[in-house]
């Protein structure tokens, strides 16, 4: 009997040790994945903003400053909330930040992942354009996301939400004339062609992003956005890319 008790105690001790070891290993792997993702996503990147030549400066002064309208979900960030049965990100991937909002009197947590290089992207394009957030999400959520992306830089001051969209056949359409009445100076970056279907000549399509840490779509757009600010009418350039809207 004594031998059986000692054997049982030994087994319990082994199970306890294995349980603690498993939890410790899980925590270590979580930290490693988080730091590895940080290294991959937020590696030092550069887009040289060289001083403008006198000709370029004169050209820029001769045209209106452009407005860049930015979508949020699947364009700049991806999020999922409590209760999602099949989140699109890999289990165990740490979010960049967690939002706690109250929707219909129910507290909801959103786990938000930033698209790779979004901070650098916003820093650069804010020097070229007036930035405007236009999301089909509810204001209580969209405002909180925009605050996090702005990070006290005061570059995402103008914001439009679901109530500013037009609901048509179950989809939300973004009317750019709400942002400004001169459509020649407005560019919208959105992963959903349906959102800008009334203004395809003003749109730059971008592939929906969910979790790919090697994504460089935002970086790839910088040369185009840099050049586009010198045009008199952005539609004269963007209208040539209509075929791309069907790719996403």
């Amino acid at each position: 009997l004594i031998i059986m008790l000692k054997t049982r105690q030994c087994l319990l001790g082994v199970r306890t040790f294995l349980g603690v070891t498993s939890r410790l290993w899980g925590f270590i792997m979580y930290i490693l994945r988080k730091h590895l993702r940080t290294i991959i996503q937020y590696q030092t990147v550069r887009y040289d903003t060289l001083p403008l030549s006198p000709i370029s400066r004169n050209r820029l002064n001769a045209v209106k400053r452009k407005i860049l309208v930015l979508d949020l979900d699947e364009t700049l960030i991806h999020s999922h909330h409590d209760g999602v049965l099949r989140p699109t990100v890999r289990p165990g991937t740490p979010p960049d930040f967690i939002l706690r909002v109250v929707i219909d009197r129910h507290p909801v947590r959103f786990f938000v992942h930033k698209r790779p290089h979004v901070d650098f992207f916003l820093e650069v394009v804010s020097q070229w354009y007036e930035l405007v957030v236009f999301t089909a999400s509810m204001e209580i959520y969209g405002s909180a996301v925009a605050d996090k992306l702005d990070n006290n830089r005061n570059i995402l001051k103008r914001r439009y939400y679901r109530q500013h969209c037009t609901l048509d056949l179950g989809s939300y359409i973004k009317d750019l004339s709400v942002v400004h009445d001169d459509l020649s100076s407005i560019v919208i970056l959105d992963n959903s062609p349906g959102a800008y279907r009334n203004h395809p000549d003003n749109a730059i399509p971008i592939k929906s992003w969910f979790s790919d840490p090697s994504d460089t779509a935002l970086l790839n757009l910088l040369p185009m956005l840099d050049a586009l600010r010198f045009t008199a009418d952005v539609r004269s350039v963007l209208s040539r890319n209509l075929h791309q809207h069907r790719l996403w």
Side-chain angles (χ1 to χ4, degrees):
L1 181 61
I2 295 176
I3 294 175
M4 290 179 63
L5 289 174
K6 288 185 176 180
T7 302
R8 184 176 296 177
Q9 289 175 349
C10 182
L11 289 174
L12 289 175
V14 170
R15 289 176 182 173
T16 302
F17 173 78
L18 291 176
V20 172
T21 303
S22 177
R23 287 193 293 270
L24 180 61
W25 178 252
F27 177 75
I28 292 174
M29 291 304 296
Y30 175 89
I31 297 297
L32 287 176
R33 280 198 299 268
K34 184 173 183 179
H35 284 286
L36 179 61
R37 191 166 65 98
T38 300
I39 292 172
I40 294 174
Q41 290 191 11
Y42 307 111
Q43 57 186 304
T44 302
V45 292
R46 292 180 58 194
Y47 181 81
D48 293 328
T49 52
L50 300 175
L52 296 177
S53 67
I55 295 177
S56 296
R57 191 179 303 109
N58 290 336
R59 174 62 181 172
L60 192 59
N61 290 334
V63 298
K64 294 181 180 178
R65 190 167 192 248
K66 306 300 187 297
I67 300 171
L68 179 58
V69 177
L70 299 167
D71 175 51
L72 292 179
D73 291 291
E74 282 69 72
T75 297
L76 299 184
I77 59 100
H78 171 69
S79 72
H80 62 274
H81 57 79
D82 290 318
V84 174
L85 297 179
R86 298 178 63 184
T88 52
V89 298
R90 180 180 175 182
T93 302
D96 288 289
F97 55 88
I98 299 174
L99 297 177
R100 294 173 174 83
V101 299
V102 178
I103 300 177
D104 295 330
R105 299 182 181 179
H106 297 287
V108 181
R109 288 189 305 170
F110 287 92
F111 303 89
V112 185
H113 302 259
K114 295 194 291 187
R115 192 169 197 153
H117 312 295
V118 66
D119 293 324
F120 178 77
F121 174 82
L122 292 174
E123 177 185 343
V124 173
V125 296
S126 66
Q127 301 173 43
W128 301 337
Y129 293 81
E130 176 189 350
L131 301 186
V132 173
V133 169
F134 203 151
T135 175
S137 298
M138 291 184 292
E139 181 172 351
I140 192 171
Y141 162 80
S143 177
V145 172
D147 284 343
K148 285 289 189 178
L149 292 178
D150 186 281
N151 195 26
N152 297 315
R153 290 178 291 180
N154 207 30
I155 59 176
L156 299 176
K157 293 180 290 186
R158 291 183 60 192
R159 304 170 184 180
Y160 298 87
Y161 307 100
R162 179 172 296 179
Q163 66 265 31
H164 302 107
C165 298
T166 302
L167 183 60
D168 183 33
L169 299 177
S171 62
Y172 291 98
I173 301 174
K174 299 173 183 178
D175 182 3
L176 296 183
S177 64
V178 172
V179 178
H180 199 281
D181 56 3
D182 181 9
L183 295 180
S184 68
S185 62
I186 298 181
V187 179
I188 181 170
L189 178 63
D190 201 309
N191 70 299
S192 175
Y196 55 74
R197 68 186 186 199
N198 290 347
H199 307 285
D201 292 351
N202 295 86
I204 296 178
I206 187 169
K207 188 175 182 179
S208 297
W209 180 80
F210 297 96
S211 61
D212 179 11
S214 62
D215 180 86
T216 58
L218 293 175
L219 291 182
N220 296 341
L221 288 176
L222 289 176
M224 174 189 284
L225 290 169
D226 191 356
L228 203 57
R229 62 193 177 120
F230 292 90
T231 63
D233 189 335
V234 298
R235 296 169 296 184
S236 65
V237 176
L238 297 180
S239 61
R240 304 175 186 179
N241 296 324
L242 289 180
H243 66 285
Q244 294 188 13
H245 302 317
R246 294 190 294 270
L247 299 179
W248 317 123

